[in-house]
Amino acid sequence: MQLTLQLMNPLSNLLLNSARGPLASMHALDVMWVSFYSIGLLLVSILIITAVRKWIHNMVLSFLLKFIAYVMFFIGTLLMVLVVLTWPN
């Protein structure tokens, strides 16, 4: 099947290789560690937001810590989306 596709279209090999996702070139255990790091970033960002809302009353410090937490949340979400897109079919 793949040989027939390669003969029909030379770019089909590129399409077949990219079908597994953006982290497909990494080893499966490395993708597992990336997922653990992203879960850790998500949890730490939630803890920072909770702590800031409960204990920090200085507006400048509160804004700075919330900004850091939201950046961590964005990076963790992006990494988790990449891990999910790399999931084997």
Side-chain angles (χ1 to χ4, degrees):
M1 177 74 179
Q2 286 183 352
L3 182 61
T4 308
L5 287 174
Q6 287 176 356
L7 292 176
M8 289 173 30
N9 187 1
L11 295 177
S12 64
N13 191 20
L14 179 65
L15 177 68
L16 290 174
N17 287 338
S18 66
R20 282 200 50 225
L23 300 179
S25 63
M26 293 175 64
H27 193 267
L29 291 177
D30 293 334
V31 175
M32 177 196 69
W33 282 109
V34 169
S35 71
F36 286 163
Y37 294 145
S38 64
I39 291 170
L41 282 172
L42 294 172
L43 289 175
V44 168
S45 68
I46 290 171
L47 290 174
I48 289 174
I49 291 291
T50 304
V52 166
R53 287 183 179 175
K54 188 171 185 177
W55 292 307
I56 306 295
H57 299 293
N58 185 355
M59 294 300 285
V60 175
L61 185 61
S62 173
F63 174 76
L64 183 65
L65 289 174
K66 283 182 183 180
F67 181 75
I68 291 170
Y70 283 122
V71 168
M72 289 171 61
F73 190 81
F74 176 73
I75 292 171
T77 303
L78 181 66
L79 286 175
M80 189 54 74
V81 167
L82 291 178
V83 167
V84 168
L85 289 177
T86 306
W87 197 266
N89 295 334

